């Protein structure tokens, strides 16, 4: 019998930038950055990856959709059908919602020369740590989008990977073994993660509460 592999697919909605700057009068000035930042982690075994890919392809074919699946462009009915894949395949979703207007942590490198964006790195690592502990994972693979902010001085993600390994693993527990940075255009499950992030964002911002309702609550785990 083939060994079952374990994967954590991560995507986000919003951006990791600081939402306000303080002017000379001490007033908050919006920077244009999003007020909310949502990170989602979908946990799948290798068997569920194949099942999810097949189910997503079926939905693509149903709607004749050939472009990359993104929460901002898919038709509403298709969006809902794709979210139902979570229930069909029984995919646990771990998510961290940050209201940046009240966030007390750091937003920039804050003097940490090895970190490109401490806000993104810290919150993402917290999400991976919680998901891997909850699933009691060993030797799992993290699959994440190829964001330029995770490259420090053109090191092609090496410092980010080192930081994530250090935050999630211990000397005796190697919860994650591989980190793969991918272009989501070619990975359907990554695109599903984007849809989940978008649905959660729209729920908490009040833009559309129906999308979040499609996902069965028993598959959703909020990380504080």
């Amino acid at each position: 019998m083939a060994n079952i592999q374990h994967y954590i697919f991560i995507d986000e909605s919003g951006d990791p930038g600081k939402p306000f700057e303080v002017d000379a009068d001490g007033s908050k000035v919006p920077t244009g950055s999003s007020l909310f930042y949502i990170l989602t982690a979908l946990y799948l075994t290798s068997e569920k990856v194949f099942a999810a890919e097949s189910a997503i392809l079926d939905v693509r074919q149903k709607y004749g959709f050939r472009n990359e699946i993104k929460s901002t462009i898919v038709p509403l009915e298709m969006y809902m059908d794709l979210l139902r894949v979570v229930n069909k395949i029984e995919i646990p979703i771990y998510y961290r919602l940050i209201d940046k207007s009240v966030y007390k942590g750091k937003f920039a490198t804050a003097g940490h020369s090895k970190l490109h964006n401490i806000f993104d790195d810290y919150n993402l690592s917290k999400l991976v740590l919680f998901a891997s502990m909850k699933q009691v994972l060993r030797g799992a693979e993290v699959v994440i989008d190829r964001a330029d902010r995770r490259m420090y001085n053109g090191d092609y993600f090496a410092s980010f990977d080192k930081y994530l390994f250090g935050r999630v693993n211990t000397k005796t527990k190697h919860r994650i073994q591989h980190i793969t940075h991918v272009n989501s255009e070619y990975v359907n499950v990554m695109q599903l993660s984007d849809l989940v992030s978008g649905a959660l964002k729209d729920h908490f911002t009040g833009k559309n509460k129906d999308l979040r309702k499609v996902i069965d609550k028993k598959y959703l785990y909020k990380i504080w």
Side-chain angles (χ1 to χ4, degrees):
M1 182 178 177
N3 291 331
I4 295 177
Q5 303 298 315
H6 301 266
Y7 299 90
I8 299 174
F9 289 85
I10 297 176
D11 203 80
E12 69 274 337
S13 184
D15 62 79
K18 190 175 183 179
F20 301 105
E21 294 289 355
V22 179
D23 63 15
D25 298 324
S27 301
K28 285 185 175 181
V29 179
T31 63
S33 180
S34 64
L35 288 177
F36 288 93
Y37 190 59
I38 298 178
L39 285 157
T40 59
L42 276 59
Y43 164 67
L44 298 92
T45 62
S46 48
E47 293 177 339
K48 287 190 175 184
V49 169
F50 292 130
E53 288 281 338
S54 177
I56 293 168
L57 287 173
D58 287 344
V59 176
R60 276 183 172 277
Q61 185 175 14
K62 175 182 176 181
Y63 290 90
F65 197 86
R66 298 182 179 276
N67 298 323
E68 179 181 359
I69 298 170
K70 284 187 171 293
S71 59
T72 54
I73 63 172
V74 295
L76 182 59
E77 286 302 316
M78 180 181 176
Y79 200 150
M80 291 183 169
D81 277 352
L82 286 165
L83 290 177
R84 291 185 182 101
V85 172
V86 171
N87 305 330
K88 179 181 179 181
I89 310 299
E90 300 180 344
I91 303 172
I93 297 167
Y94 300 89
Y95 70 95
R96 180 160 168 74
L97 167 70
I98 301 121
D99 180 348
K100 292 191 288 183
S101 66
V102 297
Y103 182 71
K104 301 299 183 182
K106 304 291 185 181
F107 280 97
T109 55
H112 293 263
S113 61
K114 294 183 179 180
L115 298 181
H116 185 267
N117 186 300
I118 194 170
F119 173 83
D120 179 55
D121 291 0
Y122 170 76
N123 287 291
L124 191 151
S125 65
K126 186 171 185 177
L127 177 71
V128 175
L129 175 61
F130 186 94
S132 60
M133 290 178 66
K134 184 73 174 181
Q135 294 295 334
V136 196
L137 298 181
R138 298 293 184 270
E141 179 172 352
V142 173
V143 184
I144 187 171
D145 63 308
R146 292 177 60 88
D148 288 344
R149 63 178 174 273
R150 297 184 182 119
M151 287 192 288
Y152 179 76
N153 286 344
D155 68 359
Y156 297 97
F157 311 109
S159 59
F160 171 84
D161 291 354
K162 182 178 179 181
Y163 174 79
L164 187 57
F165 281 131
R167 283 270 297 165
V168 177
N169 293 339
T170 69
K171 290 182 178 179
T172 58
K173 296 178 181 178
H174 291 182
R175 297 184 175 99
I176 59 174
Q177 186 172 353
H178 302 288
I179 303 170
T180 303
H181 300 260
V182 302
N183 184 333
S184 61
E185 181 181 356
Y186 306 108
V187 184
N188 281 323
V189 179
M190 278 295 298
Q191 295 171 40
L192 180 61
S193 183
D194 172 78
L195 295 182
V196 172
S197 291
L200 291 170
K201 181 191 71 173
D202 286 354
H203 174 80
F204 289 110
T205 59
K207 180 180 179 181
N208 187 335
K209 290 184 176 290
D210 292 333
L211 290 170
R212 155 62 186 79
K213 292 176 182 177
V214 173
I215 305 171
D216 194 315
K217 288 184 179 180
K218 66 184 178 183
Y219 299 122
L220 287 169
Y221 301 89
K222 185 174 183 178
I223 299 171
W224 300 95

